Amino acid sequence: MTDTEGKYPIVVQVGQSPPLEFPGSVNDSWLKNKVIVITGGASGFGEGWVRRWAAAGASIIFGDINVTGGSKLAEQVRKESRNENVHFRYCDVTNWRSQVELFKEAIRLSPHGGIDAVVANAGIADSKLELENPKNLDAEDPPPPNLDCLNVDLIGVLYTTHLAIFYLQRNPGSSPASHTTNPTQTLRDRHLLLIGSAASFSPIPTQALYGASKHAVMGLYRCLRSSIFVHGIRINLLCPYFVDTPILNASGRAILAGATIGTTEDVVEAGSRFMADPRIVGRAVSIGPKLRIEADESGEYVLTQKKEVAPKAIWEIYAMDFEDTDVFQRRIVGILNRALELRGWIGWGSDMVGALRYRLTGIWRGS
């Protein structure tokens, strides 16, 4: 047992893997024969993963509302990769039945009858901007704000997550995820990869709905990584910075004109490392512009032009959650235990009398 494991037992209990180092190597051969479901796979990051993982020999079933783009991509990738196990199906992630059908199709098309990994990738920005700009609400029957962004970026992700937990734990031939597993001998997997954003931890002006949705995805990830291990599933999170993909609309591009943005290639690289390596459990990274950064004397990160400092685009975030959580829990539990000791049996008896009185009062009132 390491010092960290001994000091922070929650890390051991939830099966979290050690902190990551970036850049790191990705062995795409570990993707071979994995069955992966991707939502929002017709463009952007999803397209990048479809191409790369199919080329590595994975079976890909991806959904999107873009039927023309998705069908064309599947046909092209099958031809280029010589991998016939690349399938596109229409999927509206805001529609529960549509997602159910995508997962059922994935099971039907799976060479081994199961699903090894799910990527909750579908997402949009808020193009309506109605939440912060209410109009005509003094009308007799005012309309609600447009919540398409929240429905795709949060409700859709929750649907995907719900289905993923059901199917991943039932993946034939799979074993509970573990950071001690041997990747060369792990043929099956149980992996849920969530896609957040820099908006998961930073505000983006005018994008309240998008930010609220992505903050919620971060909350979903942080909660599930402390409990999803009971299903033998590993969960990870990617949080890309502004990247040149279809989700970055014209106004966003105008605001960022002249600024440094991230690349799709770095996001695809980070996602591929998470997907290929079954030892990565409960980790999150932010992907931004590739920069040369070092720590100064105070420990703060600063930009540098030193050639010996390798440029870096992928950074781990929320790496020490469980250490902090464990300290908090131990302190609170310790305080409560100490308070109980001080009150002794008299305090316990007083509380029990109070509880009984509360119950009798409820019965007397007919509740």
Side-chain angles (χ1 to χ4, degrees):
M1 177 179 291
T2 66
D3 181 64
T4 299
E5 291 172 339
K7 189 176 181 181
Y8 306 114
I10 284 182
V11 173
V12 179
Q13 292 168 5
V14 303
Q16 186 186 32
S17 58
L20 300 172
E21 289 293 333
F22 288 95
S25 61
V26 179
N27 192 334
D28 281 9
S29 67
W30 295 344
L31 290 166
K32 188 174 182 179
N33 297 323
K34 298 290 171 62
V35 176
I36 305 171
V37 175
I38 307 172
T39 63
S43 62
F45 310 142
E47 177 184 352
W49 288 321
V50 169
R51 292 182 179 278
R52 179 162 174 173
W53 300 344
S59 296
I60 309 294
I61 301 93
F62 68 101
D64 206 294
I65 59 173
N66 184 353
V67 176
T68 301
S71 300
K72 183 178 179 180
L73 175 63
E75 182 180 358
Q76 187 180 62
V77 172
R78 281 195 296 268
K79 182 177 179 180
E80 292 176 352
S81 66
R82 297 183 180 179
N83 181 350
E84 291 300 315
N85 292 317
V86 180
H87 309 279
F88 167 75
R89 292 294 184 271
Y90 170 83
C91 180
D92 175 1
V93 294
T94 68
N95 184 297
W96 168 248
R97 294 304 312 172
S98 187
Q99 288 219 45
V100 167
E101 289 306 313
L102 177 66
F103 276 78
K104 287 186 176 181
E105 270 291 277
I107 293 296
R108 186 182 70 82
L109 294 167
S110 170
H112 69 269
I115 298 171
D116 293 294
V118 175
V119 186
N121 175 64
I124 61 172
D126 182 16
S127 60
K128 304 298 183 180
L129 304 180
E130 292 182 1
L131 186 69
E132 297 180 69
N133 299 284
K135 296 177 182 178
N136 304 321
L137 298 187
D138 53 353
E140 183 177 347
D141 186 20
N146 184 296
L147 300 179
D148 287 350
C149 178
L150 183 141
N151 288 330
V152 173
D153 297 351
L154 178 56
I155 302 303
V157 170
L158 292 174
Y159 285 167
T160 305
T161 298
H162 191 57
L163 286 161
I165 293 173
F166 179 84
Y167 282 105
L168 289 174
Q169 63 182 312
R170 290 167 172 79
N171 186 20
S174 68
S175 300
S178 171
H179 68 87
T180 62
T181 191
N182 184 341
T184 63
Q185 298 177 3
T186 305
L187 301 179
R188 304 272 65 86
D189 201 352
R190 302 180 189 177
H191 183 204
L192 173 58
L193 181 59
L194 299 180
I195 309 302
S197 163
S200 293
F201 50 82
S202 298
I204 297 181
T206 76
Q207 284 291 322
L209 274 182
Y210 182 76
S213 301
K214 291 301 184 179
H215 268 72
V217 172
M218 173 66 81
L220 176 67
Y221 158 74
R222 294 176 73 185
C223 289
L224 285 179
R225 73 170 177 173
S226 66
S227 59
I228 204 170
F229 67 92
V230 300
H231 301 297
I233 297 171
R234 65 187 183 101
I235 186 170
N236 295 297
L237 174 73
L238 300 180
C239 290
Y241 181 65
F242 295 107
V243 177
D244 188 8
T245 66
I247 199 173
L248 189 60
N249 57 28
S251 59
R253 293 170 191 272
I255 293 171
L256 291 169
T260 303
I261 63 175
T263 68
T264 300
E265 291 75 19
D266 284 326
V267 178
V268 170
E269 178 73 11
S272 296
R273 184 172 176 192
F274 277 0
M275 188 57 62
D277 194 341
R279 298 171 299 183
I280 300 178
V281 182
R283 291 295 171 182
V285 296
S286 176
I287 306 99
K290 191 166 287 186
L291 303 169
R292 298 180 189 274
I293 297 176
E294 66 177 355
D296 62 15
E297 294 179 355
S298 65
E300 294 293 324
Y301 285 113
V302 295
L303 289 173
T304 180
Q305 299 300 319
K306 296 178 181 178
K307 299 298 183 183
E308 62 270 22
V309 177
K312 187 175 181 179
I314 305 171
W315 304 82
E316 187 162 15
I317 55 177
Y318 293 97
M320 304 301 176
D321 260 12
F322 289 126
E323 285 85 335
D324 296 338
T325 299
D326 204 65
V327 170
F328 173 79
Q329 289 181 341
R330 285 190 290 109
R331 287 175 178 172
I332 293 298
V333 171
I335 290 172
L336 293 175
N337 285 337
R338 181 57 179 160
L340 182 60
E341 291 174 1
L342 293 174
R343 296 188 69 202
W345 285 103
I346 295 177
W348 177 85
S350 176
D351 286 344
M352 289 299 295
V353 170
L356 182 60
R357 184 184 297 118
Y358 179 86
R359 178 56 182 160
L360 292 174
T361 301
I363 293 174
W364 177 71
R365 289 177 177 174
S367 60

